[in-house]
């Protein structure tokens, strides 16, 4: 019985949203969480995770003891050092996975040199995750999500067991994959932020535009990006684009121009007049320094969750 329990034991390092969701979902599929490690045992996220997962808190050097699976969900910059600190307590043949989208298995090089029998891999749920309130909530968040995997073949098996749809990403293309994920999720949220601001200026409830965004995404899925494009750029309507630019605050114009230029790339027929109106990348970069403009910070994705 002890051997069977050990084979289903999971240790979690980094009880943020992504790590907690994966670990909680795993408990719904037959795993038990043997230990968790965070910044310190008294951190609010560690205490919350301990209650949800019914697991004791410990330090990274001891967290992997008796665990068959170790989930690393630290910030990307801490992954390599956290992995190396696991070596002393790892069980022979344990599977260690990280949840970072941009990184491959190279972060485990020091760990594998210290423990050559260790199996390693990467698992990145391609879904925006919220801190789960129960195992059932975690399962629902992961169910049906696409999931980028790499490393040991058991990683894909694990992803499928958690209800996700695994696909492989080459090690040398993970940064490009992760950039795509940031555009698809984080940049979409940034765009929604601009919609909120412009909706308030127009005196129209933002909800009506969110419905438009959902329908547009559905059309992209059916028709592709070029086929789903509508509006003044698609029609080559220079006067309407000029009127829209004049109607919105100066601080909102750089983003409008940049995205309108991207929309223009989808149009088969060239429009020199629109291209001139929207300006070049250099023009937009200079405009971005105007009063009222600003720049957003780097996006945080599932694999970069902190406590």
């Amino acid at each position: 019985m002890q051997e069977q329990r050990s084979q289903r034991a999971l240790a979690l390092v980094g009880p943020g949203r992504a790590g907690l969701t994966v670990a909680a979902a795993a408990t719904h599929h037959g795993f038990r969480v043997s230990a968790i490690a965070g910044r310190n045992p008294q951190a609010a996220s560690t205490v919350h995770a301990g209650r949800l997962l019914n697991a004791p808190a410990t330090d990274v050097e001891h967290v992997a003891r008796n665990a068959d699976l170790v989930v690393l969900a630290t910030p990307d910059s801490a992954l390599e050092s956290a992995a190396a600190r696991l070596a002393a307590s790892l069980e022979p043949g344990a599977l260690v996975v990280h949840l970072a989208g941009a990184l491959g298995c190279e972060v485990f090089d020091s760990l594998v040199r210290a423990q050559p029998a260790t199996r390693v891999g990467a698992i990145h749920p391609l879904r925006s995750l919220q801190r789960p309130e129960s195992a059932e909530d975690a399962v629902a968040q992961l169910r049906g999500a696409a999931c980028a995997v790499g490393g040991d073949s058991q990683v894909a098996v694990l992803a499928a067991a958690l209800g996700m749809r695994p696909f492989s990403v080459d090690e040398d293309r993970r940064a490009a994959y992760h950039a795509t994920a940031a555009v698809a999720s984080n940049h979409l949220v940034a765009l929604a932020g601009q919609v909120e601001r412009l909706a308030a200026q127009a005196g129209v409830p933002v909800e009506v535009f969110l419905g438009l965004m959902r329908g547009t995404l559905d059309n992209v899925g059916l028709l592709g990006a070029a086929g789903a494009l509508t509006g003044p750029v698609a029609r080559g309507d220079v006067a309407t684009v000029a009127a829209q630019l004049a109607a919105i605050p100066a601080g909102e114009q750089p983003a409008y121009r940049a995205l309108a230029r991207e929309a223009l790339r989808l149009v088969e027929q060239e429009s020199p007049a629109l291209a001139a109106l929207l300006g070049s990348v250099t023009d937009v970069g200079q405009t971005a320094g105007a009063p009222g403009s600003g720049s957003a910070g780097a996006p945080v994705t599932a694999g970069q969750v902190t406590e």
Side-chain angles (χ1 to χ4, degrees), residues 48-117:
H48 174 76
R51 290 172 180 166
L52 180 63
L53 301 174
N54 191 28
T58 185
D59 54 39
V60 177
E61 286 78 6
H62 299 95
V63 72
R65 188 171 295 160
N66 298 322
D68 182 66
L69 171 65
V70 181
V71 176
L72 281 176
T74 69
D76 290 15
S77 60
L79 272 176
E80 189 169 0
S81 62
R85 291 166 64 189
L86 288 173
S89 63
L90 269 177
E91 299 293 328
L95 175 63
V96 183
V97 300
H98 70 67
L99 306 185
L103 302 176
C105 293
E106 73 281 354
V107 298
F108 294 123
D109 287 350
S110 296
L111 172 61
V112 173
R113 282 195 296 270
Q115 294 281 8

Side-chain angles (χ1 to χ4, degrees), residues 226 229 233-236 262-271 274:
L229 183 65
V233 172
R235 298 191 300 270
E262 291 304 308
L264 190 57
R265 292 176 64 182
L266 299 173
V267 180
E268 292 184 2
Q269 186 173 355
E270 293 186 4
S271 177
L274 260 181

Side-chain angles (χ1 to χ4, degrees), residues 46-262:
T46 306
V47 172
H48 174 76
R51 290 172 180 166
L52 180 63
L53 301 174
N54 191 28
T58 185
D59 54 39
V60 177
E61 286 78 6
H62 299 95
V63 72
R65 188 171 295 160
N66 298 322
D68 182 66
L69 171 65
V70 181
V71 176
L72 281 176
T74 69
D76 290 15
S77 60
L79 272 176
E80 189 169 0
S81 62
R85 291 166 64 189
L86 288 173
S89 63
L90 269 177
E91 299 293 328
L95 175 63
V96 183
V97 300
H98 70 67
L99 306 185
L103 302 176
C105 293
E106 73 281 354
V107 298
F108 294 123
D109 287 350
S110 296
L111 172 61
V112 173
R113 282 195 296 270
Q115 294 281 8
T118 303
R119 298 172 297 150
V120 297
I123 179 169
H124 182 248
L126 200 56
R127 180 159 291 179
S128 180
L129 301 174
Q130 302 299 320
R131 187 178 294 276
E133 296 302 323
S134 65
E136 292 75 16
D137 179 22
V139 169
Q141 289 194 56
L142 294 181
R143 184 182 295 119
C147 180
V149 299
D152 192 89
S153 61
Q154 285 301 304
V155 177
V157 175
L158 172 64
L162 296 180
M164 294 183 284
R165 298 179 289 111
F167 63 94
S168 297
V169 177
D170 294 340
E171 291 278 300
D172 60 351
R173 296 186 179 184
R174 288 190 70 90
Y177 150 76
H178 198 238
T180 308
V183 172
S185 179
N186 306 151
H187 292 194
L188 183 63
V189 173
L191 178 61
Q194 185 176 37
V195 172
E196 287 182 345
R197 296 189 298 272
L198 293 178
Q201 181 196 8
V204 179
V206 69
E207 289 77 14
V208 301
F209 298 106
L210 297 181
L212 174 62
M213 293 173 74
R214 294 186 188 98
T216 301
L217 283 176
D218 289 341
N219 286 340
V220 171
L222 291 172
L223 306 172
L229 183 65
T230 63
V233 172
R235 298 191 300 270
D237 188 343
V238 179
T240 297
V241 172
Q244 290 177 352
L245 279 167
I248 65 177
E252 302 293 350
Q253 291 178 16
Y256 179 103
R257 290 178 183 273
L259 290 173
R261 278 201 322 277
E262 291 304 308

